[in-house]
């Protein structure tokens, strides 16, 4: 059962990514709507992940030494 849920989530993610690419190339209105939802969900996941990284004590050394 868990495998089925994971496969379903994977299908939704891949479908969302396809819609984002298709929308960038001028797809129909429903594709642009799905792409907007996908981008919004990606922003939410990104923000929740960055909060966890900050609390882990990582200094984030982005210097180009």
């Amino acid at each position: 059962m868990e495998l089925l849920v994971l496969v379903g989530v994977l299908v939704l993610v891949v479908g969302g990514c396809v819609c984002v690419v298709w929308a960038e190339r001028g797809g129909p209105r429903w594709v642009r709507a799905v792409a907007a939802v996908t981008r919004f969900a990606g922003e939410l996941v990104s923000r929740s992940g960055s909060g966890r990284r900050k609390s882990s004590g990582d200094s984030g050394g982005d210097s180009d030494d």
Side-chain angles (χ1 to χ4, degrees):
M1 183 65 177
E2 292 173 0
L3 181 63
L4 189 60
V5 171
L6 289 174
V7 168
V9 169
L10 180 64
V11 167
L12 288 174
V13 168
V14 170
C17 292
V18 168
C19 285
V20 168
V21 172
W22 191 5
E24 289 294 321
R25 296 175 181 244
R29 184 179 300 169
W30 68 268
V31 171
R32 292 191 298 267
V34 172
V37 170
T38 302
R39 288 184 184 129
F40 178 72
E43 284 293 323
L44 288 178
V45 169
S46 176
R47 288 181 184 168
S48 69
S50 67
R52 278 186 257 147
R53 273 186 265 135
K54 287 180 185 174
S55 65
S56 69
D58 186 15
S59 64
D62 289 341
S63 64
D64 292 315
D65 293 14

